[in-house]
Coordinates of all heavy atoms in Angstrom, one line a residue:
M226 N 0.8 -1.2 0.0 CA 0.0 0.0 0.0 C 0.9 1.2 0.0 O 1.9 1.3 0.7 CB -0.9 0.0 1.2 CG -1.8 1.2 1.3 SD -2.8 1.3 2.8 CE -1.7 2.2 3.8
V227 N 0.5 2.2 -0.8 CA 1.2 3.5 -0.9 C 0.2 4.6 -0.8 O -1.0 4.4 -1.2 CB 2.1 3.7 -2.2 CG1 3.2 2.7 -2.2 CG2 1.2 3.5 -3.4
S228 N 0.6 5.7 -0.2 CA -0.4 6.8 -0.1 C 0.4 8.2 -0.2 O 1.6 8.2 0.0 CB -1.2 6.7 1.2 OG -0.3 6.9 2.3
Q229 N -0.4 9.2 -0.5 CA 0.2 10.5 -0.6 C -0.9 11.6 -0.5 O -2.0 11.4 -1.0 CB 1.0 10.7 -1.9 CG 1.6 12.1 -2.0 CD 2.4 12.3 -3.3 OE1 2.9 11.3 -3.9 NE2 2.6 13.5 -3.7
K230 N -0.6 12.6 0.3 CA -1.6 13.7 0.4 C -1.4 14.7 -0.8 O -0.3 14.9 -1.2 CB -1.4 14.4 1.7 CG -1.8 13.6 2.9 CD -1.7 14.3 4.2 CE -2.2 13.4 5.3 NZ -2.1 14.0 6.6
V231 N -2.6 15.2 -1.2 CA -2.5 16.1 -2.4 C -3.7 17.1 -2.1 O -4.7 16.8 -1.6 CB -2.6 15.4 -3.7 CG1 -3.9 14.7 -3.9 CG2 -2.4 16.3 -4.9
T232 N -3.4 18.4 -2.6 CA -4.5 19.4 -2.4 C -5.2 19.6 -3.7 O -4.5 19.7 -4.8 CB -3.8 20.7 -1.9 OG1 -3.1 20.5 -0.7 CG2 -4.8 21.8 -1.7
I233 N -6.5 19.7 -3.7 CA -7.3 20.0 -4.9 C -7.1 21.4 -5.3 O -7.4 22.3 -4.5 CB -8.8 19.6 -4.6 CG1 -8.9 18.2 -4.2 CG2 -9.6 19.9 -5.9 CD1 -8.4 17.2 -5.1
K234 N -6.7 21.6 -6.6 CA -6.5 23.0 -7.1 C -7.6 23.5 -8.0 O -7.6 24.7 -8.2 CB -5.2 23.0 -7.8 CG -4.0 22.7 -7.0 CD -2.7 22.6 -7.8 CE -1.5 22.3 -6.9 NZ -0.3 22.2 -7.6
N235 N -8.5 22.7 -8.4 CA -9.6 23.1 -9.3 C -10.4 24.2 -8.6 O -10.9 23.9 -7.4 CB -10.5 22.0 -9.7 CG -9.8 20.9 -10.5 OD1 -8.8 20.4 -10.0 ND2 -10.2 20.7 -11.7
P236 N -10.7 25.3 -9.2 CA -11.5 26.4 -8.5 C -12.9 25.9 -8.1 O -13.4 26.4 -7.1 CB -11.6 27.5 -9.6 CG -10.5 27.2 -10.6 CD -10.2 25.7 -10.5
T237 N -13.4 25.0 -8.8 CA -14.8 24.5 -8.4 C -14.7 23.1 -7.7 O -15.8 22.5 -7.5 CB -15.7 24.4 -9.7 OG1 -15.0 23.6 -10.7 CG2 -16.0 25.8 -10.3
G238 N -13.5 22.6 -7.4 CA -13.4 21.4 -6.7 C -13.7 20.2 -7.6 O -13.5 20.3 -8.8
L239 N -14.1 19.1 -7.0 CA -14.3 17.9 -7.8 C -15.8 17.8 -8.2 O -16.5 16.9 -7.7 CB -13.9 16.6 -7.0 CG -12.4 16.4 -6.8 CD1 -12.1 15.1 -6.0 CD2 -11.6 16.4 -8.1
H240 N -16.2 18.6 -9.2 CA -17.5 18.5 -9.7 C -17.5 17.5 -10.8 O -16.5 16.7 -11.0 CB -18.0 19.9 -10.2 CG -17.2 20.5 -11.3 ND1 -17.5 20.2 -12.6 CD2 -16.2 21.3 -11.3 CE1 -16.6 20.8 -13.4 NE2 -15.8 21.5 -12.6
L241 N -18.6 17.3 -11.5 CA -18.8 16.2 -12.4 C -17.6 16.0 -13.4 O -17.2 14.8 -13.6 CB -20.1 16.3 -13.2 CG -20.5 15.1 -14.0 CD1 -20.6 13.8 -13.2 CD2 -21.9 15.3 -14.7
R242 N -17.2 17.0 -14.2 CA -16.2 16.8 -15.2 C -14.9 16.3 -14.6 O -14.3 15.3 -15.0 CB -16.0 18.1 -16.0 CG -15.1 17.8 -17.3 CD -15.0 19.1 -18.1 NE -16.3 19.8 -18.4 CZ -16.6 21.0 -17.9 NH1 -15.7 21.7 -17.2 NH2 -17.7 21.5 -18.2
P243 N -14.3 17.0 -13.6 CA -13.0 16.5 -13.1 C -13.2 15.2 -12.3 O -12.2 14.4 -12.3 CB -12.5 17.6 -12.2 CG -13.7 18.5 -11.9 CD -14.6 18.3 -13.1
A244 N -14.3 15.0 -11.7 CA -14.6 13.7 -11.1 C -14.5 12.5 -12.1 O -14.0 11.5 -11.9 CB -15.9 13.7 -10.3
G245 N -15.1 12.8 -13.3 CA -15.1 11.8 -14.4 C -13.7 11.5 -14.8 O -13.3 10.4 -15.1
V246 N -12.9 12.6 -15.0 CA -11.5 12.4 -15.4 C -10.7 11.6 -14.4 O -10.0 10.7 -14.7 CB -10.8 13.8 -15.6 CG1 -9.3 13.7 -15.8 CG2 -11.5 14.5 -16.8
L247 N -10.9 11.9 -13.1 CA -10.3 11.2 -12.0 C -10.7 9.7 -12.1 O -9.8 8.8 -12.0 CB -10.6 11.8 -10.7 CG -10.0 11.1 -9.5 CD1 -8.6 11.7 -9.3 CD2 -10.8 11.5 -8.2
C248 N -11.9 9.4 -12.2 CA -12.4 8.0 -12.2 C -11.9 7.3 -13.4 O -11.5 6.1 -13.4 CB -13.9 8.0 -12.2 SG -14.6 8.6 -10.6
K249 N -12.0 7.9 -14.6 CA -11.5 7.3 -15.8 C -10.1 6.9 -15.7 O -9.7 5.8 -16.2 CB -11.7 8.2 -17.0 CG -11.4 7.6 -18.3 CD -11.7 8.6 -19.5 CE -11.4 7.9 -20.8 NZ -11.4 8.8 -21.9
T250 N -9.3 7.7 -15.1 CA -7.9 7.4 -15.0 C -7.7 6.2 -13.9 O -6.9 5.3 -14.2 CB -7.1 8.6 -14.5 OG1 -7.2 9.6 -15.5 CG2 -5.6 8.3 -14.4
A251 N -8.4 6.3 -12.8 CA -8.3 5.3 -11.8 C -8.7 3.9 -12.3 O -8.1 2.9 -11.9 CB -9.1 5.7 -10.6
I252 N -9.7 3.8 -13.2 CA -10.2 2.6 -13.7 C -9.1 1.9 -14.5 O -9.1 0.6 -14.7 CB -11.5 2.8 -14.5 CG1 -12.6 3.1 -13.5 CG2 -11.8 1.6 -15.4 CD1 -13.9 3.6 -14.2
D253 N -8.1 2.6 -15.1 CA -7.1 2.0 -15.9 C -6.1 1.1 -15.1 O -5.3 0.4 -15.7 CB -6.3 3.1 -16.6 CG -7.1 3.8 -17.7 OD1 -8.1 3.2 -18.2 OD2 -6.7 4.9 -18.1
Y254 N -6.2 1.2 -13.8 CA -5.2 0.4 -12.9 C -6.0 -0.7 -12.2 O -7.1 -0.6 -11.9 CB -4.6 1.4 -11.9 CG -3.8 2.4 -12.5 CD1 -4.3 3.7 -12.8 CD2 -2.5 2.2 -13.0 CE1 -3.6 4.7 -13.4 CE2 -1.8 3.2 -13.6 CZ -2.3 4.4 -13.8 OH -1.6 5.4 -14.5
C255 N -5.2 -1.8 -12.0 CA -5.8 -2.9 -11.3 C -5.8 -2.7 -9.8 O -6.6 -3.4 -9.1 CB -5.1 -4.2 -11.7 SG -3.4 -4.3 -11.2
S256 N -5.0 -1.8 -9.3 CA -5.0 -1.5 -7.9 C -6.3 -0.9 -7.4 O -7.0 -0.3 -8.1 CB -3.9 -0.5 -7.6 OG -2.6 -1.0 -7.8
V257 N -6.6 -1.1 -6.1 CA -7.7 -0.5 -5.5 C -7.2 0.9 -5.2 O -6.2 1.1 -4.5 CB -8.1 -1.2 -4.2 CG1 -9.1 -0.5 -3.4 CG2 -8.5 -2.6 -4.5
I258 N -8.0 1.9 -5.6 CA -7.6 3.3 -5.4 C -8.8 4.0 -4.7 O -9.9 4.1 -5.2 CB -7.3 4.0 -6.8 CG1 -6.3 3.3 -7.5 CG2 -6.9 5.5 -6.5 CD1 -6.0 3.8 -9.0
T259 N -8.4 4.5 -3.5 CA -9.4 5.2 -2.7 C -8.7 6.5 -2.2 O -7.5 6.7 -2.4 CB -9.8 4.4 -1.4 OG1 -8.6 4.1 -0.7 CG2 -10.5 3.1 -1.8
F260 N -9.5 7.4 -1.6 CA -8.9 8.5 -0.9 C -9.7 8.9 0.3 O -10.9 8.7 0.5 CB -8.8 9.8 -1.9 CG -10.1 10.3 -2.4 CD1 -10.9 11.2 -1.6 CD2 -10.6 9.9 -3.6 CE1 -12.1 11.8 -2.1 CE2 -11.8 10.4 -4.1 CZ -12.6 11.3 -3.3
K261 N -8.9 9.4 1.3 CA -9.4 9.8 2.6 C -9.7 11.3 2.5 O -8.9 12.0 1.9 CB -8.4 9.5 3.7 CG -8.4 8.1 4.2 CD -7.5 8.0 5.4 CE -7.3 6.6 5.9 NZ -6.4 6.5 7.0
Y262 N -10.7 11.7 3.1 CA -11.0 13.2 3.2 C -11.8 13.5 4.4 O -12.4 12.6 5.0 CB -11.8 13.6 1.9 CG -13.2 12.9 1.9 CD1 -14.3 13.6 2.3 CD2 -13.4 11.6 1.4 CE1 -15.6 13.0 2.3 CE2 -14.6 11.0 1.3 CZ -15.7 11.7 1.8 OH -16.9 11.1 1.8
G263 N -11.7 14.7 4.9 CA -12.5 15.1 6.1 C -12.3 14.3 7.3 O -13.2 13.9 7.9
G264 N -11.1 13.9 7.6 CA -10.8 13.1 8.7 C -10.6 11.6 8.3 O -9.6 11.2 7.8
E265 N -11.7 10.8 8.6 CA -11.6 9.4 8.3 C -12.5 8.9 7.2 O -12.7 7.7 7.1 CB -11.8 8.5 9.6 CG -10.7 8.7 10.6 CD -9.3 8.3 10.1 OE1 -9.2 7.3 9.5 OE2 -8.3 9.1 10.3
N266 N -13.2 9.8 6.5 CA -14.1 9.4 5.4 C -13.3 8.8 4.3 O -12.2 9.4 3.9 CB -14.9 10.6 5.0 CG -15.8 11.1 6.1 OD1 -16.5 10.4 6.7 ND2 -15.8 12.4 6.2
I267 N -13.8 7.8 3.6 CA -13.1 7.2 2.5 C -14.0 7.1 1.3 O -15.2 6.8 1.4 CB -12.6 5.8 2.8 CG1 -11.6 5.9 4.0 CG2 -12.0 5.1 1.6 CD1 -11.1 4.5 4.5
A268 N -13.5 7.5 0.1 CA -14.2 7.4 -1.2 C -13.5 6.5 -2.2 O -12.2 6.5 -2.2 CB -14.4 8.8 -1.8
N269 N -14.2 5.8 -3.0 CA -13.7 5.0 -4.0 C -13.4 5.9 -5.3 O -14.3 6.4 -5.8 CB -14.7 3.9 -4.4 CG -14.2 3.0 -5.5 OD1 -13.2 3.2 -6.1 ND2 -15.1 2.0 -5.8
A270 N -12.1 6.0 -5.6 CA -11.7 6.8 -6.8 C -12.2 6.3 -8.1 O -12.1 7.0 -9.1 CB -10.2 7.0 -6.8
K271 N -12.7 5.1 -8.2 CA -13.1 4.5 -9.4 C -14.7 4.6 -9.6 O -15.2 4.2 -10.6 CB -12.8 3.0 -9.5 CG -11.3 2.8 -9.5 CD -11.0 1.3 -9.7 CE -9.4 1.1 -9.8 NZ -9.1 -0.3 -10.1
S272 N -15.3 5.3 -8.6 CA -16.8 5.5 -8.7 C -17.1 7.0 -8.7 O -16.8 7.7 -7.8 CB -17.4 4.9 -7.4 OG -18.7 5.4 -7.3
V273 N -17.7 7.5 -9.8 CA -18.0 8.9 -9.9 C -19.0 9.3 -8.8 O -18.8 10.4 -8.2 CB -18.7 9.2 -11.3 CG1 -19.2 10.6 -11.4 CG2 -17.7 8.9 -12.4
L274 N -19.9 8.5 -8.4 CA -20.9 8.8 -7.4 C -20.1 8.9 -6.0 O -20.5 9.8 -5.2 CB -22.0 7.8 -7.3 CG -23.0 7.8 -8.4 CD1 -24.0 6.6 -8.3 CD2 -23.7 9.1 -8.5
S275 N -19.2 8.1 -5.8 CA -18.4 8.1 -4.5 C -17.6 9.4 -4.5 O -17.5 10.1 -3.5 CB -17.5 6.9 -4.4 OG -16.9 6.9 -3.2
V276 N -17.0 9.8 -5.6 CA -16.1 11.0 -5.7 C -17.0 12.2 -5.5 O -16.7 13.1 -4.7 CB -15.3 11.1 -7.0 CG1 -14.6 12.4 -7.1 CG2 -14.3 9.9 -7.1
L277 N -18.1 12.3 -6.2 CA -19.0 13.4 -6.1 C -19.6 13.5 -4.7 O -19.8 14.6 -4.1 CB -20.2 13.3 -7.1 CG -19.8 13.5 -8.6 CD1 -21.0 13.3 -9.5 CD2 -19.2 14.9 -8.8
G278 N -19.9 12.4 -4.1 CA -20.5 12.4 -2.7 C -19.5 12.9 -1.7 O -20.0 13.3 -0.6
A279 N -18.2 12.9 -2.0 CA -17.3 13.4 -1.0 C -17.3 14.9 -0.9 O -16.8 15.5 0.1 CB -15.9 13.0 -1.4
C280 N -17.9 15.6 -1.9 CA -18.0 17.1 -1.9 C -16.7 17.8 -1.7 O -16.6 18.7 -0.8 CB -19.1 17.5 -0.9 SG -20.7 16.9 -1.2
I281 N -15.7 17.4 -2.4 CA -14.4 18.0 -2.3 C -14.3 19.3 -3.0 O -14.7 19.5 -4.2 CB -13.3 17.0 -2.9 CG1 -13.4 15.7 -2.3 CG2 -11.9 17.7 -2.8 CD1 -13.1 15.6 -0.8
K282 N -13.9 20.3 -2.3 CA -13.8 21.7 -2.8 C -12.4 22.1 -3.0 O -11.4 21.5 -2.5 CB -14.5 22.7 -1.8 CG -16.0 22.4 -1.6 CD -16.5 23.2 -0.5 CE -18.0 22.9 -0.2 NZ -18.3 21.5 -0.1
C283 N -12.2 23.2 -3.7 CA -10.9 23.8 -3.9 C -10.2 24.1 -2.6 O -10.8 24.6 -1.7 CB -11.0 25.1 -4.7 SG -9.4 25.9 -5.1
G284 N -8.9 23.6 -2.5 CA -8.1 23.8 -1.3 C -8.2 22.7 -0.3 O -7.5 22.6 0.6
D285 N -9.2 21.7 -0.5 CA -9.3 20.6 0.3 C -8.1 19.6 0.1 O -7.6 19.5 -1.0 CB -10.6 19.8 0.1 CG -11.8 20.5 0.6 OD1 -11.7 21.6 1.3 OD2 -12.9 20.0 0.3
E286 N -7.7 19.0 1.1 CA -6.6 18.0 1.0 C -7.2 16.6 1.1 O -8.0 16.4 2.0 CB -5.5 18.2 2.1 CG -4.3 17.3 2.0 CD -3.3 17.6 3.1 OE1 -3.6 17.2 4.3 OE2 -2.3 18.2 2.8
I287 N -6.8 15.8 0.2 CA -7.2 14.4 0.3 C -5.9 13.5 0.3 O -4.8 14.0 0.0 CB -8.0 14.0 -1.0 CG1 -7.2 14.1 -2.3 CG2 -9.3 14.8 -1.0 CD1 -7.9 13.5 -3.5
E288 N -6.1 12.3 0.8 CA -4.9 11.4 0.9 C -5.3 10.2 -0.1 O -6.2 9.4 0.2 CB -4.7 10.8 2.3 CG -3.5 9.9 2.3 CD -3.2 9.4 3.7 OE1 -4.0 9.7 4.7 OE2 -2.3 8.6 3.9
L289 N -4.6 10.2 -1.2 CA -4.8 9.1 -2.1 C -4.1 7.8 -1.6 O -3.0 7.9 -1.1 CB -4.1 9.4 -3.5 CG -4.9 10.3 -4.4 CD1 -4.0 10.8 -5.6 CD2 -6.2 9.7 -4.9
I290 N -4.8 6.7 -1.7 CA -4.3 5.4 -1.2 C -4.5 4.4 -2.3 O -5.6 4.2 -2.9 CB -5.1 4.9 0.0 CG1 -5.0 6.0 1.1 CG2 -4.6 3.6 0.5 CD1 -6.1 5.8 2.2
C291 N -3.4 3.8 -2.7 CA -3.4 2.8 -3.8 C -2.8 1.5 -3.2 O -1.8 1.5 -2.6 CB -2.5 3.2 -5.0 SG -3.0 4.8 -5.7
E292 N -3.5 0.4 -3.6 CA -3.1 -0.9 -3.1 C -3.3 -2.0 -4.2 O -4.4 -2.2 -4.6 CB -3.9 -1.3 -1.8 CG -3.4 -2.5 -1.1 CD -4.1 -2.7 0.2 OE1 -4.9 -1.9 0.6 OE2 -3.8 -3.7 0.9
G293 N -2.2 -2.6 -4.6 CA -2.2 -3.6 -5.6 C -0.9 -3.7 -6.4 O 0.1 -3.1 -6.1
D294 N -1.0 -4.5 -7.5 CA 0.3 -4.8 -8.3 C 0.9 -3.5 -8.9 O 2.1 -3.4 -9.0 CB 0.0 -5.8 -9.4 CG -0.4 -7.1 -8.8 OD1 0.0 -7.4 -7.6 OD2 -1.0 -7.9 -9.5
D295 N 0.1 -2.6 -9.3 CA 0.6 -1.4 -10.0 C 0.4 -0.1 -9.1 O 0.3 1.0 -9.6 CB -0.1 -1.2 -11.3 CG -1.6 -1.1 -11.3 OD1 -2.1 -1.3 -10.2 OD2 -2.2 -1.0 -12.3
E296 N 0.5 -0.3 -7.8 CA 0.2 0.8 -6.9 C 1.1 2.0 -7.0 O 0.6 3.2 -7.0 CB 0.2 0.3 -5.4 CG 1.5 -0.2 -4.9 CD 1.4 -0.9 -3.6 OE1 0.3 -1.4 -3.2 OE2 2.5 -1.0 -3.0
A297 N 2.4 1.8 -7.2 CA 3.3 2.9 -7.3 C 3.0 3.8 -8.5 O 3.0 5.0 -8.4 CB 4.7 2.4 -7.3
Q298 N 2.8 3.1 -9.7 CA 2.5 3.9 -10.9 C 1.2 4.6 -10.8 O 1.0 5.7 -11.2 CB 2.6 2.9 -12.1 CG 2.5 3.7 -13.4 CD 3.7 4.6 -13.7 OE1 4.8 4.3 -13.5 NE2 3.4 5.9 -14.0
A299 N 0.2 3.9 -10.2 CA -1.1 4.4 -10.1 C -1.1 5.7 -9.2 O -1.6 6.7 -9.6 CB -2.1 3.4 -9.5
L300 N -0.4 5.6 -8.1 CA -0.3 6.8 -7.2 C 0.4 7.9 -7.9 O -0.1 9.1 -7.9 CB 0.5 6.4 -5.9 CG 0.6 7.6 -4.9 CD1 -0.8 8.0 -4.4 CD2 1.5 7.2 -3.8
K301 N 1.5 7.7 -8.6 CA 2.3 8.7 -9.3 C 1.4 9.4 -10.3 O 1.3 10.6 -10.4 CB 3.5 8.1 -10.0 CG 4.3 9.0 -10.8 CD 5.5 8.3 -11.5 CE 6.3 9.2 -12.4 NZ 5.5 9.6 -13.6
D302 N 0.7 8.6 -11.1 CA -0.2 9.2 -12.2 C -1.4 9.9 -11.6 O -1.7 11.0 -12.1 CB -0.6 8.1 -13.1 CG 0.5 7.5 -14.0 OD1 1.6 8.1 -14.0 OD2 0.3 6.5 -14.6
M303 N -2.0 9.4 -10.6 CA -3.1 10.1 -10.0 C -2.7 11.4 -9.3 O -3.4 12.4 -9.5 CB -3.8 9.2 -8.9 CG -4.4 7.9 -9.5 SD -5.8 8.2 -10.6 CE -7.0 8.7 -9.5
V304 N -1.6 11.5 -8.7 CA -1.1 12.7 -8.0 C -0.8 13.7 -9.1 O -1.2 14.9 -9.0 CB 0.1 12.5 -7.2 CG1 0.8 13.8 -6.8 CG2 -0.3 11.7 -5.9
E305 N -0.1 13.3 -10.2 CA 0.2 14.2 -11.3 C -1.1 14.8 -11.9 O -1.2 16.0 -12.3 CB 1.0 13.5 -12.4 CG 2.5 13.3 -11.9 CD 3.3 12.5 -13.0 OE1 2.7 12.2 -14.1 OE2 4.5 12.3 -12.7
L306 N -2.1 13.9 -12.1 CA -3.4 14.3 -12.7 C -4.1 15.4 -11.8 O -4.5 16.4 -12.3 CB -4.3 13.1 -12.9 CG -5.6 13.4 -13.5 CD1 -5.5 13.8 -15.0 CD2 -6.5 12.1 -13.4
I307 N -4.1 15.2 -10.6 CA -4.8 16.1 -9.6 C -4.0 17.4 -9.6 O -4.6 18.5 -9.7 CB -4.9 15.5 -8.2 CG1 -5.9 14.4 -8.3 CG2 -5.3 16.6 -7.2 CD1 -6.0 13.5 -7.0
E308 N -2.7 17.3 -9.5 CA -1.8 18.6 -9.5 C -1.9 19.4 -10.8 O -1.7 20.6 -10.8 CB -0.4 18.2 -9.1 CG -0.3 17.8 -7.6 CD 1.2 17.4 -7.2 OE1 2.0 17.2 -8.1 OE2 1.4 17.3 -6.0
S309 N -2.2 18.7 -11.9 CA -2.3 19.4 -13.2 C -3.7 20.0 -13.3 O -3.9 20.7 -14.4 CB -2.0 18.4 -14.3 OG -3.1 17.5 -14.5
G310 N -4.6 19.8 -12.4 CA -5.9 20.4 -12.5 C -7.0 19.6 -13.1 O -8.1 20.1 -13.4
L311 N -6.8 18.3 -13.3 CA -7.8 17.3 -13.8 C -8.4 17.8 -15.1 O -9.6 17.7 -15.3 CB -8.8 17.1 -12.8 CG -8.4 16.4 -11.5 CD1 -9.3 16.6 -10.4 CD2 -8.3 14.9 -11.8
G312 N -7.5 18.3 -16.0 CA -8.0 18.7 -17.3 C -8.8 20.1 -17.4 O -9.3 20.4 -18.4
E313 N -8.7 20.8 -16.4 CA -9.4 22.1 -16.4 C -8.4 23.3 -16.3 O -7.4 23.2 -15.8 CB -10.4 22.2 -15.2 CG -11.6 21.3 -15.4 CD -12.7 21.7 -14.5 OE1 -12.5 22.4 -13.5 OE2 -13.8 21.2 -14.8

């Protein structure tokens, strides 16, 4: 298992479009990809509904957690994606 904290930079947070980009990328990996937010809440990064339900706003910090065969690459790519603004 590997994890890393990252801050959401999108001005509107994880609304539908960036949530879709995040999920589409996460689905490409066989690892289980989740993130912690707001203390001990956990969301499935491969589920748009789970990501949207987290209500992540600009400036919020999440902790990405990847567990599986490709966990290191998955974490690296997910962090880069979030830091680049998720296509926005």
